[in-house]
Amino acid sequence: MASSFGRGWKYDVFLSFRGEDTRKIFVGHLYKALTQKAINTFIDSEELRKGNQLSKLLKAINESRFSIIVFSENYASSTWCLKELVTILECINTNKQIVVPIFYQVAPSDVRKLKSFFAEAFAKHDRDPNIHSEEVHRWRSALTEATNLSGWDSRHYRDDAKLIDKVVQDIFNRLINISSSKVTGLVGMASHIEKMELLLYPKVDGLVGMASHIEKMEPLLYPRVDDGADYNDGVDDWADYNDGVDDWDNNGLDDWVDYNNGVDDWAEADYNNGVDDWVDYNNGVDNWANYNDGVDDWAEADYNNGVDDWADYNDGVDDWDNNGMDDWVDYNNGVDDWDDGGIWGMGGSGKTTIARAVYEKISCKFEHHCFLQNVRDGVDDWTDGVRIVGIWGMGGSGKTTIARAVYNKISCKFEHHCFLQNVREGFMKKGDVLMQEELLSGVLNENVQSLGRLSRDYNMIIERLSQKKVLLVLDDVDNFAQMETLLGRMKPSFGDGSRIIITTRDAQSLSGVDATYSPKLLPDDKALQLFSQYAFRTNQPTSEYNHLSRKLIEYAQGLPLALKVLGSFLDNKSAREWEYVLEKIKKIPHGGIQDVLRISFDGLDDSEKDVFLDIACFFKGKEKDYVAKLLDGCGFFFRCGLRVLVDRALVTVSPQNMLETHDLLRVMGREIVRQESIKEPGRRSRLWCYEDAKLALTQNAQMKRLRLLRVHYDKGNCKQHVNGNLQFLSHELSCLIWMGYPMKSLPSNFHPKNLVDLDMRDSRIEELWEGTEPLEKLEFINLSHSQCLKKLPDLTEAINLQTLSLEGCTSLSEVQPSILAHKNLGLLLLKDCKELKIFPTSIDMKSLKILNLSGCSKIEVFPEISGIMEELSELHLDKTAIRELPSSIERLKKLVLLDMRDCKSLVCLPDNVCDLTYLERLLLAGCSQLRNLPEKVGNLKLLMDLQLQGSGVKQLPSSMLRLGRLKQLCCHGYVGTHPFLHGHR
């Protein structure tokens, strides 16, 4: 456990004791209990003492976070024990060590005042000529100082087992508190813990206004601590007010002070009568005993349970725990018994809810507690139940670290607890039975073996825990089957209040959990903080590292794993080496990061792997539906595969329906493809880099496996020069994306039978291919701004074509009639095809949504609309030479936008244009030959934007008064007194 609680401590606990008194009894059992709690404890061996190696013991003391001193009858007779004691007390100041004395079958007053066995031992030391008198004086002082520390008196416990349980739990809880307060290296962990606690304990934190109720209840339950106590921790953390110290352990009870009167001495309790004679504060503190003068026998407080073990020792009153603090003196009235707290109010006022919230917050402070509900009816039907919370996210996102931090913080509240690490790996290496044994061994804190028949023996043992409050963490669960093996088909039959935390990369593993927490990646400031903890452990950073650190933060994209791995790798390296690493990881990712990330990928089936690699290599940031069409055409069952990828945190879908993946996952996917053939890229299944594509072509590679080819380049700064040929272009290609394609045509023997997407924007291509090709899978063609393109191939077979973009193809002169007969084509974009003259005379496209002929200045006639086209919403005809529209325009039933700006030849609009009842925008600005609008223009009830500026329209029809939704009217140059203007100024 030492490694879990900060740096600089080799041991959690050092045990100082007299071997002949306690080694084989009390200390032996104490040591076993500490180690079973995973508390790293140093205990000397008899051989060490025989070897007279005191220096090793003193060194171990200095390396320990805690020291437990077991004072027994013969402790002072050992000079070794006394030398250990002096060193331990020195460490309080030098190392901030926490020291806990245990008085085992001896009275604290005998130790302080050197009575009985201690007197005999020091009489011998005084007579020993080999021991200097100054050393004996130091020993005396050390014993006195040690007895002033808070500790434990064994005489006040019925048996050693109870005392050992309390001591071990106390040490464990303090270690947890130290760890939680420091949170060493866990950047941003406080926020994660807070959010997890809301999921683990939703009933308190989720109640509206409950915080104020709890705040008001706590002073009533703990009125003595209203000035000094940390209400969040109950009465655990009563403070040394001068030093702000939370722990009683180092200062004992002698520093409690009546601050108003400066009285340093505690009142003497009448042990025969319990606490009846504790002084009414109003009457002073005259009867409180001087702690140094004889109040040695007070039972030391169990700090984690409050003051429940302070006892009336003669009467055996050691059960404050059952009554909480009810029996503390009413100081104002001199009354022994505090009135039991109550919450009074009318029915439905929230009394039970408030009591439950307070109970859940403070019950962990008490050894015994119970919430008895509906007492009037004799019914206790409230149950906290078993609650399961999952932590889900991509590899390296901090799931295990968060689970460990939460576990460390709350495990002290549970009777049994276990953190089962690396479940996925455990099942792979050990199998079902051994994993069940490991789980039970951890929960029961005993060795469980030979379960034999899986279900019968396992279920039998699980039943032993049915009344136990259990905390269980299952770390890195790979699938739901592992969950069933460890927990069963239903929630495990653990006791009321049990909590289970599951970390996983696969959301499907969390089926049936009560809540799921998905940690967000670190923001830049937190990422820099975490990275710096690892990168600058050896040397302090200089200014030359600032820019490089920012670059690495940008590369890691907030992933904790990457920040730690890269930081550790770069520690104690020069700035020049940092620059080299930055360049390298851009091309070859760091293996320590990739190995962790790849675990999720390796768990996919072949089809899912293909979908992920396609997204990583090509489709990050692309619209989901577009990718679905593309990959479903490849037979990959994209939507099923995508669901798995999302569940495994490999891919996300943005609110805008775009596919996203973490940059390091993208790098991982591309590296997997690169590894298919490192030196011969033509042998890979996917190519996305221009340099790799160029190399493959230069090598005249037989690209038979190539399914996706994507080549991007900076249009302004790069010219492509490819001297190879494309005779070996794979017939398996489903996606050919090559910006700036440098050749005049595709290879003559290329058969695009599997092609789904052809994107060759800004290319030099003049003709794709000759003749008719099997194009059943082709859905997208984008040849925009290919200024050398003269004509399109026969696309009759492209029956599934959905998008055809030819914008800016300034050499294109003809569009074949077959294109305007495609039933599935949704977008036809021909903007700025300035040489386009030959256009089909009729159009019937049931799926067409947008037709853009903007800037096609040689188009004079718009085709007849031969069938109803209900999907067309936008018709862009601006800057064309069209003189008039056909009367069949009325068949565009749901046209929303008609843009005919700057159509200088347009002379009229057909009357039935007024039948386009969905029309919202009619843009006629710059139509200088247009003189009139149709009289029934007022029938366009949805029209909001009418632009007439620069047109030849001189007078507006009176029917325009009915255009109730018109928001914008532009008709500059109009002069007249038509009443329309007076109502629409």
Side-chain angles (χ1 to χ4, degrees):
M1 182 173 278
S3 61
S4 302
F5 296 115
R7 302 169 185 166
W9 306 108
K10 185 175 182 180
Y11 305 103
D12 292 324
V13 173
F14 177 89
L15 286 177
S16 176
F17 62 96
R18 186 70 168 106
E20 66 183 45
D21 287 351
T22 59
R23 182 186 297 275
K24 296 182 178 180
I25 46 175
F26 179 78
V27 170
H29 295 306
L30 176 60
Y31 174 73
K32 180 180 180 181
L34 288 167
T35 55
Q36 285 179 338
K37 277 280 191 181
I39 299 174
N40 188 14
T41 305
F42 180 90
I43 185 171
D44 70 327
S45 62
E46 295 183 58
E47 288 73 17
L48 185 64
R49 290 187 179 270
K50 291 177 181 178
N52 197 29
Q53 300 184 50
L54 178 61
S55 61
K56 290 188 176 180
L57 293 178
L58 301 183
K59 184 173 184 290
I61 291 171
N62 278 280
E63 295 174 336
S64 299
R65 184 70 182 87
F66 282 74
S67 282
I68 297 178
I69 309 168
V70 182
F71 289 115
S72 58
E73 291 180 347
N74 294 302
Y75 184 89
S77 66
S78 168
T79 58
W80 276 42
C81 287
L82 294 172
K83 289 177 180 179
E84 289 176 7
L85 177 62
V86 171
T87 301
I88 288 170
L89 295 177
E90 289 174 350
C91 286
I92 292 177
N93 295 320
T94 59
N95 298 347
K96 303 297 182 184
Q97 189 177 95
I98 299 173
V99 179
V100 179
I102 298 176
F103 301 95
Y104 187 72
Q105 302 302 328
V106 295
S109 58
D110 288 351
V111 180
R112 174 183 293 110
K113 297 183 178 182
L114 301 183
K115 296 178 180 179
S116 186
F117 291 97
F118 287 81
E120 296 173 7
F122 271 85
K124 292 181 181 179
H125 297 326
D126 287 334
R127 295 192 300 268
D128 191 334
N130 296 319
I131 304 177
H132 199 280
S133 61
E134 290 183 1
E135 186 168 24
V136 175
H137 177 71
R138 284 198 297 271
W139 294 345
R140 282 191 170 96
S141 299
L143 286 170
T144 301
E145 182 180 349
T147 55
N148 286 335
L149 300 174
S150 315
W152 308 83
D153 190 336
S154 69
R155 297 172 303 153
H156 305 139
Y157 294 86
R158 290 184 292 272
D159 54 58
D160 288 352
K162 183 177 180 182
L163 173 59
I164 288 172
D165 285 344
K166 287 186 172 293
V167 171
V168 172
Q169 192 63 44
D170 176 39
I171 296 296
F172 182 81
N173 292 341
R174 295 200 209 184
L175 285 170
I176 293 295
N177 290 335
I178 291 169
S179 173
S180 299
S181 64
K182 291 184 177 179
V183 200
T184 304
L186 302 182
V187 175
M189 191 54 61
S191 173
H192 290 306
I193 293 176
E194 181 181 356
K195 292 172 183 175
M196 277 294 294
E197 285 184 320
L198 289 174
L199 299 178
L200 288 165
Y201 302 103
K203 293 185 178 180
V204 173
D205 299 278
L207 297 176
V208 176
M210 194 53 59
S212 63
H213 289 307
I214 295 175
E215 185 177 355
K216 293 172 183 175
M217 279 291 295
E218 284 184 324
L220 301 178
L221 290 166
Y222 304 112
R224 179 78 185 279
V225 298
D226 52 353
D227 290 326
D230 180 347
Y231 292 144
N232 289 323
D233 297 320
V235 290
D236 314 8
D237 297 326
W238 282 33
D240 176 335
Y241 298 112
N242 290 323
D243 301 321
V245 179
D246 292 343
D247 298 318
W248 289 11
D249 43 20
N250 289 326
N251 298 309
L253 301 172
D254 47 317
D255 290 338
W256 279 37
V257 177
D258 180 333
Y259 291 93
N260 292 323
N261 300 314
V263 181
D264 296 315
D265 298 325
W266 281 56
E268 178 180 4
D270 182 341
Y271 291 93
N272 292 320
N273 299 313
V275 292
D276 295 343
D277 293 329
W278 281 36
V279 175
D280 180 335
Y281 268 23
N282 291 327
N283 296 325
V285 289
D286 299 336
N287 294 327
W288 285 43
N290 185 320
Y291 188 69
N292 291 324
D293 292 332
V295 191
D296 303 307
D297 296 330
W298 280 57
E300 307 302 324
D302 178 344
Y303 301 115
N304 293 300
N305 295 317
V307 290
D308 22 286
D309 291 323
W310 285 32
D312 179 337
Y313 298 112
N314 291 327
D315 296 330
V317 183
D318 58 354
D319 57 356
W320 285 22
D321 45 339
N322 289 324
N323 298 312
M325 305 180 69
D326 296 341
D327 296 326
W328 281 40
V329 177
D330 181 334
Y331 294 99
N332 291 322
N333 301 313
V335 180
D336 296 346
D337 296 323
W338 286 23
D339 292 334
D340 288 348
I343 304 175
W344 174 85
M346 64 180 289
S349 59
K351 304 182 296 297
T352 301
T353 307
I354 295 170
R356 163 61 64 189
V358 174
Y359 174 82
E360 290 189 345
K361 183 169 187 184
I362 69 173
S363 59
C364 62
K365 313 302 179 185
F366 299 89
E367 184 176 3
H368 302 287
H369 50 82
C370 172
F371 189 97
L372 190 61
Q373 189 165 334
N374 297 328
V375 176
R376 180 183 61 188
D377 300 324
V379 179
D380 181 13
D381 58 1
W382 183 90
T383 176
D384 189 26
V386 178
R387 186 168 178 82
I388 305 178
V389 174
I391 305 178
W392 170 77
M394 65 179 288
S397 59
K399 301 181 297 297
T400 299
T401 307
I402 294 168
R404 172 64 71 181
V406 174
Y407 175 84
N408 286 344
K409 182 173 183 181
I410 69 174
S411 58
C412 61
K413 302 177 181 179
F414 296 84
E415 188 174 356
H416 298 276
H417 47 83
C418 172
F419 193 106
L420 192 62
Q421 299 186 85
N422 300 322
V423 171
R424 175 189 56 80
E425 184 178 344
F427 271 92
M428 289 174 58
K429 294 181 176 179
K430 302 173 185 178
D432 293 3
V433 175
L434 289 181
M435 285 303 295
Q436 289 182 332
E437 291 179 1
E438 186 173 338
L439 172 63
L440 292 177
S441 296
V443 172
L444 297 172
N445 203 17
E446 61 184 62
N447 190 21
V448 176
Q449 291 183 335
S450 302
L451 288 178
R453 292 175 59 184
L454 199 64
S455 59
R456 183 193 65 186
D457 293 351
Y458 187 72
N459 292 334
M460 178 186 67
I461 297 175
I462 284 290
E463 287 180 4
R464 294 172 54 186
L465 299 169
S466 61
Q467 301 302 317
K468 306 294 184 181
K469 186 178 178 181
V470 176
L471 172 63
L472 175 61
V473 177
L474 303 180
D475 174 50
D476 194 20
V477 173
D478 193 43
N479 54 59
F480 189 72
Q482 294 173 358
M483 288 269 295
E484 284 192 332
T485 300
L486 295 175
L487 300 178
R489 293 181 180 274
M490 306 294 289
K491 281 188 177 180
S493 56
F494 296 152
D496 204 33
S498 293
R499 293 293 183 268
I500 300 171
I501 300 172
I502 299 162
T503 74
T504 182
R505 304 176 186 216
D506 186 1
Q508 291 299 312
S509 300
L510 300 178
S511 176
V513 302
D514 296 292
T516 299
Y517 177 57
S518 182
K520 297 185 182 301
L521 298 174
L522 293 176
D524 286 351
D525 58 335
K526 297 295 185 183
L528 181 60
Q529 183 182 346
L530 179 59
F531 173 76
S532 299
Q533 285 183 359
Y534 288 84
F536 302 117
R537 286 179 293 185
T538 305
N539 300 314
Q540 290 300 312
T542 58
S543 58
E544 62 183 333
Y545 287 95
N546 292 342
H547 176 68
L548 296 171
S549 295
R550 294 291 179 185
K551 286 286 187 182
L552 287 156
I553 298 306
E554 183 181 352
Y555 173 83
Q557 292 290 298
L559 188 68
L561 167 73
L563 295 164
K564 294 178 182 179
V565 170
L566 291 174
S568 299
F569 181 70
L570 294 170
D571 183 34
N572 202 27
K573 287 183 170 60
S574 67
R576 183 68 189 92
E577 289 176 292
W578 279 43
E579 292 174 354
Y580 171 76
V581 170
L582 264 170
E583 289 300 317
K584 181 180 178 181
I585 60 178
K586 289 178 182 178
K587 297 180 180 179
I588 304 174
H590 192 285
I593 300 172
Q594 297 302 300
D595 290 346
V596 174
L597 297 180
R598 181 156 180 166
I599 292 171
S600 297
F601 174 81
D602 289 338
L604 303 174
D605 65 28
D606 290 343
S607 178
E608 293 158 357
K609 287 178 179 178
D610 277 328
V611 173
F612 172 74
L613 293 178
D614 285 351
I615 293 173
C617 295
F618 288 87
F619 303 125
K620 174 180 164 66
K622 298 297 182 181
E623 206 269 335
K624 184 187 75 172
D625 293 335
Y626 157 73
V627 180
K629 294 173 183 177
L630 184 64
L631 297 189
D632 281 344
C634 301
F636 286 162
F637 306 102
F638 169 78
R639 297 186 189 278
C640 294
L642 179 63
R643 173 61 186 271
V644 174
L645 299 181
V646 171
D647 286 344
R648 288 183 174 266
L650 289 168
V651 173
T652 59
V653 180
S654 75
Q656 293 74 34
N657 211 34
M658 300 297 182
L659 297 177
E660 300 293 345
T661 185
H662 192 280
D663 284 352
L664 292 178
L665 289 171
R666 184 188 196 186
V667 170
M668 177 197 74
R670 290 187 167 187
E671 178 62 13
I672 290 171
V673 174
R674 192 182 76 88
Q675 291 291 331
E676 293 174 353
S677 179
I678 296 175
K679 295 183 178 180
E680 297 184 50
R683 295 182 179 273
R684 300 176 195 163
S685 59
R686 301 160 179 86
L687 286 176
W688 59 90
C689 172
Y690 170 67
E691 293 299 327
D692 286 342
K694 179 180 177 181
L695 181 59
L697 294 172
T698 302
Q699 294 173 340
N700 289 323
Q702 298 280 344
M703 295 184 284
K704 295 182 179 179
R705 297 187 64 226
L706 190 63
R707 194 172 52 78
L708 300 175
L709 175 60
R710 182 176 187 176
V711 182
H712 277 285
Y713 79 109
D714 186 342
K715 182 179 178 181
N717 299 316
C718 177
K719 292 184 178 180
Q720 299 187 36
H721 300 283
V722 179
N723 297 319
N725 60 67
L726 287 178
Q727 297 305 312
F728 304 105
L729 195 60
S730 171
H731 299 322
E732 298 301 316
L733 268 180
S734 61
C735 183
L736 175 55
I737 303 175
W738 194 325
M739 311 300 183
Y741 178 74
M743 300 180 183
K744 294 182 178 181
S745 67
L746 291 172
S748 58
N749 63 350
F750 171 58
H751 300 292
K753 60 180 181 180
N754 291 304
L755 202 60
V756 178
D757 189 0
L758 175 63
D759 189 343
M760 302 177 75
R761 283 171 276 177
D762 298 301
S763 70
R764 299 181 184 178
I765 200 161
E766 296 180 2
E767 184 179 22
L768 288 174
W769 54 75
E770 292 184 357
T772 302
E773 292 286 351
L775 302 172
E776 290 84 358
K777 294 184 178 181
L778 187 61
E779 297 187 16
F780 309 97
I781 298 178
N782 190 344
L783 299 172
S784 58
H785 304 290
S786 296
Q787 297 182 3
C788 298
L789 182 68
K790 296 178 179 179
K791 67 175 183 177
L792 291 173
D794 186 348
L795 298 177
T796 304
E797 299 297 322
I799 57 176
N800 292 305
L801 188 65
Q802 297 182 25
T803 300
L804 177 58
S805 179
L806 302 169
E807 292 185 0
C809 294
T810 54
S811 298
L812 183 66
S813 60
E814 180 181 358
V815 172
Q816 291 86 348
S818 61
I819 291 178
L820 297 194
H822 277 284
K823 302 301 183 183
N824 292 312
L825 191 63
L827 298 178
L828 179 56
L829 310 177
L830 295 161
K831 180 180 179 181
D832 293 330
C833 293
K834 299 184 182 301
E835 294 299 318
L836 185 61
K837 299 178 182 178
I838 303 174
F839 200 73
T841 56
S842 68
I843 180 173
D844 183 12
M845 306 176 74
K846 302 298 185 184
S847 301
L848 191 66
K849 295 179 175 63
I850 298 176
L851 174 58
N852 193 336
L853 294 171
S854 174
C856 295
S857 55
K858 295 187 177 182
I859 296 289
E860 298 180 355
V861 178
F862 188 79
E864 286 288 336
I865 303 167
S866 57
I868 300 298
M869 295 174 57
E870 291 191 340
E871 295 296 322
L872 189 67
S873 61
E874 296 183 21
L875 180 57
H876 298 268
L877 302 176
D878 52 299
K879 298 180 182 178
T880 63
I882 294 174
R883 294 177 56 82
E884 61 181 358
L885 294 175
S887 59
S888 57
I889 192 75
E890 64 177 353
R891 292 178 175 174
L892 304 181
K893 295 295 186 181
K894 294 187 178 179
L895 190 67
V896 174
L897 167 65
L898 176 58
D899 186 356
M900 301 194 71
R901 289 171 298 171
D902 295 315
C903 290
K904 304 297 184 181
S905 300
L906 183 67
V907 295
C908 67
L909 293 176
D911 288 340
N912 58 4
V913 77
C914 300
D915 294 333
L916 301 176
T917 55
Y918 283 84
L919 194 66
E920 296 179 3
R921 303 184 68 200
L922 179 57
L923 311 182
L924 301 169
C927 297
S928 54
Q929 299 300 314
L930 181 65
R931 297 289 184 262
N932 298 296
L933 294 179
E935 284 297 328
K936 296 182 180 179
V937 71
N939 292 348
L940 301 175
K941 299 297 180 61
L942 299 181
L943 191 67
M944 293 187 292
D945 184 6
L946 176 59
Q947 296 185 17
L948 298 170
Q949 67 271 33
S951 71
V953 176
K954 299 300 182 182
Q955 187 170 355
L956 300 178
S958 60
S959 65
M960 287 187 64
L961 288 170
R962 301 200 302 270
L963 297 177
R965 299 189 62 181
L966 190 66
K967 294 181 179 179
Q968 180 170 315
L969 173 62
C970 299
C971 52
H972 299 305
Y974 175 78
V975 178
T977 59
H978 194 282
F980 174 80
L981 291 179
H982 297 288
H984 290 78
R985 289 188 186 273

